[in-house]
Amino acid sequence: MRRIGGAILLFSVVAVEPVAAQQSAVCTADNLPSMIEGFFQLTTALGIVGLAVVWQANSLIDMFTLSPDQKKGLKRHKRSALKSATILVVLGPLYTVAGSMMNLPLAQCVNLVPW
């Protein structure tokens, strides 16, 4: 059993190394990295604008709401929208930094920081 485990480990190191040395197909494509960056920046901007719209709409509805249960629901909705926008803004830089540290091929040529 120990020999099989050692053989699998040796094979995985030998088989993975040539693949890791190759350049990513995404990086070698002409405009694909810039298209991915632009798409991510666009979706992040739309997410932030969506957060502002939801936040303002909830604030407006909150002024005309009398029930405490409805006000609690609106506050939960605001928090949920804020969490979603925060994840959207943090996800790109986190992938860029963590991907570079882990030598992920996409992180080497695509910058997902939205600003």
Side-chain angles (χ1 to χ4, degrees):
M1 190 66 163
R2 185 181 258 176
R3 283 185 164 173
I4 293 172
I8 290 174
L9 180 66
L10 180 65
F11 177 73
S12 65
V13 169
V14 171
V16 170
E17 189 173 333
V19 174
Q22 296 173 358
Q23 189 157 355
S24 170
V26 173
C27 295
T28 58
D30 288 336
N31 293 327
L32 193 57
S34 62
M35 286 174 55
I36 293 172
E37 290 173 6
F39 177 76
F40 190 80
Q41 290 173 352
L42 179 68
T43 56
T44 302
L46 288 175
I48 292 171
V49 169
L51 169 69
V53 168
V54 166
W55 195 273
Q56 291 301 317
N58 281 344
S59 296
L60 180 66
I61 294 169
D62 191 25
M63 289 192 298
F64 298 109
T65 303
L66 299 175
S67 169
D69 290 335
Q70 289 176 335
K71 288 189 180 207
K72 286 181 186 176
L74 288 171
K75 282 189 178 185
R76 272 196 310 260
H77 192 251
K78 277 184 175 180
R79 276 194 302 259
S80 175
L82 185 61
K83 285 179 189 176
S84 297
T86 303
I87 289 170
L88 188 64
V89 169
V90 169
L91 195 62
L94 182 66
Y95 177 79
T96 301
V97 171
S100 295
M101 289 172 54
M102 296 175 4
N103 290 327
L104 296 177
L106 187 63
Q108 302 299 326
C109 62
V110 176
N111 182 13
L112 296 180
V113 179
W115 49 85

